[in-house]
Amino acid sequence: MNKEYKEYLESLLNWGEKLKQTVQDSELLDDEKMHTLKQVEKWQGNIYELLDQEEADANPERMLDLRAEGENLIQEIQGSSNRESVPYGKHKLPPLPYAYNALEPYISEQIMRLHHTKHHQSYVDGLNKAEEALYTGKKGKDPIKHWLREQAFNGSGHYLHTIFWHNMTPNSKKKPSGEILKQIKKDFGSWNSFKKLFTDAAESVEGNGWAALLWSPRSGKLAIQSFEKHQLFQLPDTIPLLVLDVWEHAYYLQHQNDKASYIKDWWNVVNWDNVNERFNKAKKLKWQLF
């Protein structure tokens, strides 16, 4: 391995250690600290993998990616420390919690890079534009109905993608465990019954849309729903726990028109720890059952 390349990677690792200490000393809530520390450690893990590859050649693009990931982590920490809300029109693209190539071979680096930096970014930009029009008086000559539709489409796209990235991991346990597994068995009968129903829902999406596992505080049960585009056919007063993007841009470069193959691969990268975390927080919200 090139000496300068190795020294640069080691400098990033040292930067990561300082970043973890900054997190420990911050005023973030304990669960936020835990989440952020895990993100930094995953980032460092990617660097260690490169250092272990003694024969690896210097890859300028990969080094830039690693540095950008570290800078995004700093922005995320600063944002969490200093803000209680996102000002209208100031949403930002969240960093991926892993490298662009981390989900291979199930989801390719090319798809992840395009999906995150182009498609998700476009929804962030669209949401910001809609919010500026609706809440800061910049709507121009367009009717309010136009901007409400833009807010619904782009806002749903931004929020669903943010869930989607964290719903996946290169270290998937393949099957759920803990509280979410108990609830799945209670509501669907078995893990296999749930998996088949969710898969069928994803395959049933015509054109662009999503499949989602939801928690319903109104029924005290889990539900499965497909969305058209990002915002149509959603169930109000429910909380998404696990979402699967089945727009063609999520898989076409790798699977072409074989959506079923993409869905089958996706089950190998589901982050059940994240789903469990979302479920444990969601089920605390209880409404009168109807």
Side-chain angles (χ1 to χ4, degrees):
M1 178 181 290
N2 179 284
K3 181 181 178 181
E4 291 182 0
Y5 182 39
K6 184 177 181 180
E7 289 177 349
Y8 181 74
L9 292 176
E10 290 173 343
S11 72
L12 289 180
L13 286 175
N14 291 332
W15 186 27
E17 290 303 310
K18 293 177 182 178
L19 187 56
K20 287 194 289 188
Q21 188 59 53
T22 299
V23 173
Q24 293 283 19
D25 296 338
S26 72
E27 296 181 359
L28 292 173
L29 298 175
D30 287 344
D31 60 342
E32 291 179 324
K33 283 185 180 181
M34 184 73 69
H35 169 74
T36 305
L37 288 170
K38 284 182 178 180
Q39 299 302 96
V40 177
E41 287 170 357
K42 284 181 180 179
W43 174 69
Q44 288 181 307
N46 293 329
I47 299 172
Y48 279 120
E49 285 183 12
L50 287 178
L51 283 170
D52 288 340
Q53 300 171 15
E54 292 294 336
E55 302 301 321
D57 294 327
N59 184 333
E61 185 176 284
R62 186 74 184 105
M63 288 193 288
L64 288 174
D65 279 349
L66 286 168
R67 184 172 183 85
E69 289 166 22
E71 291 172 346
N72 283 335
L73 285 170
I74 291 175
Q75 290 179 6
E76 186 177 12
I77 294 166
Q78 291 174 336
S80 298
S81 300
N82 301 329
R83 296 185 303 173
E84 294 183 357
S85 65
V86 178
Y88 291 128
K90 301 298 182 182
H91 297 275
K92 294 181 179 180
L93 181 70
L96 287 185
Y98 34 73
Y100 285 112
N101 65 351
L103 302 183
E104 291 187 334
Y106 303 111
I107 303 179
S108 72
E109 176 180 357
Q110 183 185 22
I111 285 177
M112 290 299 295
R113 191 180 296 277
L114 180 66
H115 197 167
H116 180 247
T117 63
K118 300 299 182 183
H119 291 283
H120 190 171
Q121 182 67 63
S122 73
Y123 303 131
V124 173
D125 295 342
L127 175 59
N128 285 337
K129 190 174 181 180
E131 287 190 348
E132 287 177 357
L134 288 168
Y135 308 116
T136 65
K138 297 181 180 180
K139 64 182 179 182
K141 297 180 179 179
D142 292 296
I144 190 172
K145 184 182 292 187
H146 166 76
W147 293 114
L148 291 171
R149 287 173 175 167
E150 287 292 294
Q151 177 179 244
F153 175 77
N154 290 293
S156 296
H158 171 43
Y159 297 141
L160 282 168
H161 277 92
T162 303
I163 298 170
F164 182 55
W165 307 135
H166 288 86
N167 272 169
M168 298 187 292
T169 176
N171 303 308
S172 175
K173 297 176 180 176
K174 312 298 183 183
K175 292 184 179 180
S177 60
E179 293 303 309
I180 190 62
L181 179 59
K182 292 179 184 177
Q183 195 70 40
I184 283 173
K185 289 182 176 179
K186 178 180 178 181
D187 293 341
F188 300 108
S190 70
W191 151 244
N192 286 329
S193 295
F194 156 73
K195 185 177 180 181
K196 183 180 185 306
L197 182 58
F198 190 98
T199 297
D200 289 346
E203 291 180 351
S204 76
V205 174
E206 297 177 350
N208 301 320
W210 297 72
L213 172 66
L214 311 168
W215 172 249
S216 172
R218 286 294 179 199
S219 66
K221 298 176 77 70
L222 298 170
I224 291 173
Q225 179 65 41
S226 63
F227 303 156
E228 183 179 307
K229 295 184 178 178
H230 306 305
Q231 77 281 23
L232 303 179
F233 306 145
Q234 290 201 39
L235 286 172
D237 211 5
T238 59
I239 303 169
L241 306 176
L242 174 67
V243 298
L244 171 57
D245 187 348
V246 285
W247 284 60
E248 283 193 344
H249 65 236
Y251 63 88
Y252 195 83
L253 288 174
Q254 185 172 2
H255 296 276
Q256 297 186 7
N257 63 342
D258 190 357
K259 180 165 62 177
S261 177
Y262 159 66
I263 295 168
K264 183 179 179 180
D265 276 354
W266 172 80
W267 283 111
N268 290 286
V269 296
V270 174
N271 186 348
W272 288 108
D273 288 339
N274 177 256
V275 180
N276 244 324
E277 180 183 1
R278 291 183 64 82
F279 175 60
N280 286 329
K281 290 181 178 180
K283 69 181 181 180
K284 292 178 182 178
L285 179 61
K286 296 181 179 180
W287 300 122
Q288 185 176 356
L289 302 180
F290 287 104

